[in-house]
Amino acid sequence: MTVTAAAPRPGRGICETLVLAGLALLFYGVTFQAALHGTDWRWFVLWFEEPGAVHPQHPGYLVAAHGLALVLAPFGLSTFGLLQVLSVLGGAVAVAGCHRAALALTGRAGDARGVALIAMFCPALWHHATVVELHAPFFAVVAWAAVPVVRWAQGRGVGTAVAAGLLTGLAACMHATGQLVVVIVAVTLWHCGRARGNGRLAREFVAFVASHAVAFGAFFGIVRALGNLPAAVERFAAMPDSLAAPDNPIDYLLRWFRDMDFAAQIGPTVLNEWLEPFAPLAVLVLAGLFVSRLRSAVLWLHVLLAMYLVVTVALVHAWTDERGAYLLPLLLPVTLICWHALRSPPLRFGLVALTLVAGLWFRGEPGRLPPDDAFGSAAVAMHRERPTFFFVADFPEMDGGLRADPRLPLEVGRKAYDELLAAQGQVAGFEPTPLHVVGWLSLLVAREQQAGRRFVITDRAIEWMTARVPVFGAGLELFERQSGARRLSPATGIAGLVVEP
């Protein structure tokens, strides 16, 4: 695969690009997931609504959201609905960017169309374009940055180098891992542009890095100067040991690097962040090793993959499944290599079809069920009647409650269970007893009563905890007698126990 052939004129195929973008917009809109992803969506909603708040690590996302809000103001969307549109739009713009970059690279409409369709169906992009997250808008900027990078490698000169740097700088503002795209560009230029004069290429690369630094520094600095850190971030900053305490990307990454266990976490990370979300491309790309003109590209891709995996291990610690979010910048090169490794039309058609099947199978956060919106409505009504804290089971109740009101005070059984396991791990031979359960629940109740809130634990939370901590049921019986807990009225729409302040 080479980029030294004459590029098509810049405006060629623009109608097909727009058609593919429209198709992706419709496709992602229709297939938007009922289930949510992670918990960052809640902070995005809260920070968007907090006057002057800017994201401490990725300021471009909220800026883009506020810009979109001005355009869509007549439609009266909720904040969550607005961020849904931003994800769908980001995915569609990313597909368009992949089409333009592939067309600039190959000059063949069929190749560009195939690459765009594979990118559209890839589980990683399909997932992030259909949940509230910042990675689809981030990848949209990366994909369009690939267009001047290709033209630069084809010999277009310093102007394309500067354009590429401006776009990669903006990508780094959308998500801090955009800084790694500079390495992808360097590898691309070395691999594809090494036949050119080294001195000229070096000068152009300096211009690229300078424009990247200016775009990132100016955007980041202006946004941080005009805005303010969210109140929640200020609270985290007061807790030096918190992983969320850093208020800039460098300190944030270093903090997460400090606590990673690479040997234990690399295996799950490769599976969750590469093999599944980039299926079947992550495996089929190895076919390029048997094609002489692709062998070097495949090897360099895996050098970049190793870099991205190290950073991903640090950022997720194999605790969360991000469905390939941080590796999205590798989608375009891996797709191009796979497309060129399979030369016959039937094999290429099969690749598109197989990617669609993989997208259906692997998109979606594993085990994440849709929100229980009925619970959310009932919980918000109960909280508005009288301040209430909710101890809930797992994602459906948590997501239902927070979707209805992101400020709803609640605790999630899954998190509490992890904390209990951590306590067991810190004391050799420790096993909780019913009295431990009573003491733990009593502390939760006392904390909420001090804040003037009643305490509710749902039946599903009780069932969830009892299934994992066998003594929880016995401890709960003692707790009910000691605390005066009573059953909630069926009229509340919530099954569970309540302790009044």
Side-chain angles (χ1 to χ4, degrees):
M1 186 172 59
T2 180
V3 294
T4 57
R9 66 181 187 276
R12 180 188 163 193
I14 193 67
C15 290
E16 186 168 20
T17 301
L18 294 173
V19 168
L20 284 165
L23 178 63
L25 193 70
L26 178 63
F27 178 71
Y28 292 145
V30 169
T31 61
F32 204 92
Q33 299 177 66
L36 305 178
H37 173 90
T39 56
D40 285 350
W41 66 268
R42 178 196 180 198
W43 297 111
F44 296 153
V45 171
L46 291 173
W47 295 350
F48 179 89
E49 296 176 352
E50 185 177 334
V54 298
H55 197 295
Q57 323 298 343
H58 324 297
Y61 178 71
L62 290 181
V63 171
H66 282 290
L68 185 62
L70 294 176
V71 176
L72 300 182
F75 297 95
L77 294 175
S78 66
T79 300
F80 188 87
L82 174 75
L83 298 183
Q84 284 181 307
V85 173
L86 183 55
S87 290
V88 170
L89 187 61
V93 173
V95 169
C98 289
H99 179 259
R100 298 307 299 173
L103 186 61
L105 176 68
T106 68
R108 292 185 290 271
D111 289 350
R113 190 182 311 122
V115 168
L117 288 174
I118 292 170
M120 185 191 307
F121 299 146
C122 176
L125 182 56
W126 189 357
H127 173 73
H128 287 285
T130 55
V131 294
V132 171
E133 251 293 1
L134 53 72
H135 298 285
F138 159 67
F139 182 59
V141 184
V142 173
W144 278 93
V147 179
V149 170
V150 169
R151 296 189 179 280
W152 176 18
Q154 290 168 333
R156 292 300 181 90
V158 70
T160 51
V162 170
L166 293 175
L167 285 171
T168 58
L170 290 178
C173 292
M174 294 296 291
H175 194 275
T177 56
Q179 303 289 4
L180 299 180
V181 177
V182 173
V183 183
I184 296 179
V185 173
V187 169
T188 300
L189 264 292
W190 185 89
H191 175 69
C192 301
R194 52 191 171 185
R196 298 164 53 195
N198 290 336
R200 176 186 169 190
L201 194 58
R203 289 191 297 273
E204 291 171 357
F205 192 77
V206 169
F208 161 74
V209 172
S211 59
H212 171 93
V214 168
F216 172 77
F219 190 102
F220 193 94
I222 291 171
V223 172
R224 287 291 293 267
L226 295 179
N228 51 266
L229 292 175
V233 175
E234 298 284 7
R235 290 196 298 271
F236 290 138
M239 301 180 286
D241 290 332
S242 170
L243 288 171
D247 65 355
N248 65 85
I250 295 176
D251 286 346
Y252 186 88
L253 182 61
L254 291 176
R255 179 68 59 88
W256 282 80
F257 260 118
R258 184 191 67 185
D259 296 322
M260 77 173 181
D261 182 352
F262 185 82
Q265 294 163 356
I266 183 61
T269 301
V270 170
L271 177 65
N272 297 336
E273 308 300 332
W274 178 243
L275 294 178
E276 290 184 354
F278 290 89
L281 307 173
V283 174
L284 290 179
V285 71
L286 297 175
L289 292 172
F290 301 97
V291 181
S292 59
R293 61 193 176 83
L294 296 177
R295 192 171 296 126
S296 176
V298 175
L299 294 174
W300 275 112
L301 173 72
H302 284 82
V303 170
L304 293 170
L305 173 63
M307 174 187 70
Y308 268 91
L309 284 173
V310 170
V311 172
T312 302
V313 169
L315 290 174
V316 303
H317 286 188
W319 294 343
T320 58
D321 188 331
E322 293 289 356
R323 291 288 91 182
Y326 303 120
L327 278 67
L328 271 172
L330 300 181
L331 174 57
L332 184 56
V334 75
T335 301
L336 286 164
I337 293 172
C338 288
W339 183 261
H340 284 84
L342 304 176
R343 299 294 296 172
S344 70
L347 287 177
R348 287 177 166 179
F349 178 82
L351 177 59
V352 174
L354 190 57
T355 306
L356 174 60
V357 172
L360 290 168
W361 187 262
F362 288 119
R363 81 173 182 127
E365 185 177 328
R368 191 67 169 260
L369 298 175
D372 185 342
D373 291 325
F375 168 80
S377 298
V380 168
M382 190 173 176
H383 179 63
R384 287 175 179 169
E385 175 195 358
R386 187 172 173 187
T388 307
F389 175 89
F390 297 89
F391 189 100
V392 301
D394 203 357
F395 286 125
E397 286 186 329
M398 178 191 78
D399 291 343
L402 296 179
R403 266 282 299 273
D405 182 358
R407 296 166 182 80
L408 187 70
L410 55 78
E411 175 78 79
V412 186
R414 176 186 290 269
K415 179 175 180 290
Y417 178 62
D418 288 343
E419 291 173 350
L420 191 59
L421 288 181
Q424 286 180 282
Q426 291 170 7
V427 181
F430 173 78
E431 290 291 339
T433 67
L435 288 178
H436 285 120
V437 174
V438 173
W440 176 57
L441 289 175
S442 297
L443 285 174
L444 291 178
V445 170
R447 182 190 68 189
E448 299 310 317
Q449 287 181 337
Q450 189 174 11
R453 294 190 289 243
R454 54 187 171 178
F455 177 87
V456 166
I457 181 169
T458 68
D459 282 352
R460 278 184 285 183
I462 294 170
E463 180 182 355
W464 198 94
M465 291 295 294
T466 302
R468 290 157 179 81
V469 185
V471 300
F472 190 83
L476 185 68
E477 291 181 8
L478 292 173
F479 171 74
E480 287 185 63
R481 291 197 293 269
Q482 293 183 13
S483 65
R486 60 176 178 81
R487 300 293 306 174
L488 282 168
S489 166
T492 63
I494 298 175
L497 300 173
V498 60
V499 180
E500 302 287 349

